[in-house]
């Protein structure tokens, strides 16, 4: 595996991978890798000849009161994990390579970004869309892989690729990979490491309560009171606050108050002991 931190070197390396007509998949990450990220790499390997993974803790997607400095950085450990998975190139640029002095351009995806995490974290999705647009232009992958765990992020990236007519990767080549979960159902996340043992135990109530709510809605229970019970169960289990618990249309992320004919998505963000956890699950269909 080649580890690269300069854009000109990256472009040469990717050109060499492609020289014999091979395909390239991109797996963008911010590092602090866990099984969820490795599932993205494995899926990417199934769909392309070579995998380029990126590790870049993107300052543009952190708000002023968020954990940019505290965000875990463990390049040596992450790099060994990616190498063991057969990644061809690790793109790990410094901030100055991605946002050189004088950088003034931003990508902003409206509507899909507005609600949910976009409302709780103003500017977050502009930062995500900007860096992912740049990563796509830097690597020019045939395909790209993102976790469904960040469901709104995936919708934002798809909207950006569609609206900007990106060809590499085309919007149809942006793959969402199902969330990888711990044995007790908690969605894997780099943020889980911030939970105290007691809060980690309580956090498992989140996927359980979501499944219960989904079962109720699929059996005809009214959406609003079911979501209110879900919020109550989380607060009772020790969560401090709920940012949102909502049923949404899966492409536009418009809130819906009844199960449509097809699938919907249950989206939840809740805080426990200073850590913000998000999760989502399919409903119906
Ligand atoms: O999901 C992440 O890790 C990040 O938001 C991403 C897509 C790598 C952009 O910085």
């Amino acid at each position: 595996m080649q580890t690269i931190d300069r854009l000109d070197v990256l472009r040469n390396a990717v050109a060499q991978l492609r020289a014999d007509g091979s395909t390239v998949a991109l797996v963008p990450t911010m590092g602090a890798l866990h099984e969820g990220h490795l599932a993205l790499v494995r899926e990417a390997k199934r769909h392309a000849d070579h995998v380029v993974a990126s590790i870049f803790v993107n300052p543009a997607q952190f708000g002023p009161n968020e954990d940019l400095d505290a965000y875990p950085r463990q390049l040596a450990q992450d790099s060994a994990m990616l190498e063991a998975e057969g990644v061809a190139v690790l793109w790990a640029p410094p901030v100055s390579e991605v946002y050189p002095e004088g950088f003034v351009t931003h990508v902003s995806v409206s509507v899909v970004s507005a609600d949910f995490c976009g409302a709780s974290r103003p500017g977050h999705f502009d930062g995500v869309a900007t860096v992912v647009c740049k990563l796509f232009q830097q690597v020019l992958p045939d395909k790209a892989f993102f976790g469904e765990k960040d469901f709104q992020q995936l919708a934002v990236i798809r909207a950006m690729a569609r609206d900007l007519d990106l060809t590499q990767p085309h919007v149809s080549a942006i793959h969402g990979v199902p969330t990888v979960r711990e044995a007790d159902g908690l969605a894997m996340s780099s943020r889980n490491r911030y939970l105290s043992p007691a809060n980690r135990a309580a956090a498992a109530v989140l996927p359980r309560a979501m499944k219960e709510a989904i079962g109720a809605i699929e059996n005809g229970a009214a959406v609003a009171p079911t979501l209110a019970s879900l919020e109550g169960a989380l607060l009772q289990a020790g969560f401090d606050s709920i940012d949102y618990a909502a049923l949404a249309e899966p492409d536009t992320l418009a809130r819906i108050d009844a199960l449509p004919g097809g699938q919907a998505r249950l989206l939840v963000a809740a805080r426990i002991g200073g850590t913000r956890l998000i999760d989502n699950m399919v409903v119906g269909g």
Side-chain angles (χ1 to χ4, degrees):
M1 184 178 80
Q2 269 180 284
T3 300
I4 297 176
D5 63 3
R6 276 189 23 217
L7 185 52
D8 54 343
V9 180
L10 173 77
R11 289 202 158 121
N12 280 333
V14 175
Q16 273 176 27
L17 291 178
R18 291 185 169 288
D20 62 356
S22 292
T23 54
V24 170
L26 173 65
V27 177
T29 82
M30 297 209 300
L33 303 182
H34 50 66
E35 275 299 316
H37 297 105
L38 301 186
L40 301 182
V41 172
R42 290 173 195 145
E43 190 65 8
K45 280 193 77 181
R46 274 196 283 278
H47 285 85
D49 299 313
H50 303 290
V51 176
V52 175
S54 64
I55 295 184
F56 179 64
V57 182
N58 174 32
Q61 68 188 77
F62 287 79
N65 303 318
E66 293 183 348
D67 51 1
L68 173 62
D69 290 336
Y71 200 85
R73 288 160 172 90
Q74 45 176 60
L75 190 60
Q77 192 180 322
D78 289 346
S79 162
M81 289 165 85
L82 293 173
E83 182 147 36
E85 293 295 328
V87 166
V89 170
L90 168 55
W91 170 224
V95 173
S96 57
E97 193 75 2
V98 179
Y99 300 118
E101 230 180 283
F103 185 90
V104 290
T105 304
H106 297 276
V107 180
S108 183
V109 178
S110 63
V111 182
V112 189
S113 292
D115 203 345
F116 306 118
C117 291
S120 325
R121 305 179 67 189
H124 169 70
F125 286 120
D126 289 0
V128 170
T130 302
V131 83
V132 171
C133 189
K134 283 179 67 82
L135 289 167
F136 285 174
Q137 291 307 300
Q138 291 164 347
V139 178
L140 292 175
D142 300 283
K143 296 161 191 223
F145 292 76
F146 297 89
E148 283 187 351
K149 156 97 181 353
D150 296 299
F151 197 76
Q152 189 175 16
Q153 168 172 283
L154 184 57
V156 167
I157 291 166
R158 285 194 167 124
M160 172 193 71
R162 182 199 64 207
D163 293 351
L164 297 183
D165 304 315
L166 298 189
T167 50
Q168 269 182 264
H170 183 264
V171 58
S172 63
I174 295 173
H175 294 241
V177 178
T179 303
V180 179
R181 296 180 181 279
E182 304 284 358
D184 62 4
L186 182 66
M188 285 197 186
S189 164
S190 311
R191 294 208 158 103
N192 292 353
R193 68 182 71 192
Y194 301 138
L195 296 168
S196 68
N199 287 340
R200 171 63 191 80
V205 173
L206 174 60
R208 278 211 300 275
M210 288 175 71
K211 278 195 182 141
E212 267 173 40
I214 290 168
I217 292 170
E218 287 178 344
N219 283 322
V223 171
T226 305
L227 296 179
S229 304
L230 163 57
E231 294 194 12
L234 295 179
L235 294 172
Q236 176 132 34
F239 279 78
D240 304 311
S241 60
I242 319 295
D243 279 3
Y244 56 79
L247 196 65
E249 198 284 324
D251 297 320
T252 61
L253 296 193
R255 286 181 193 242
I256 48 182
D257 54 15
L259 196 53
Q263 288 186 343
R265 207 83 187 180
L266 175 61
L267 302 160
V268 181
R271 293 173 195 265
I272 181 163
T275 301
R276 185 173 180 277
L277 299 179
I278 60 171
D279 202 347
N280 69 87
M281 292 179 189
V282 71
V283 188

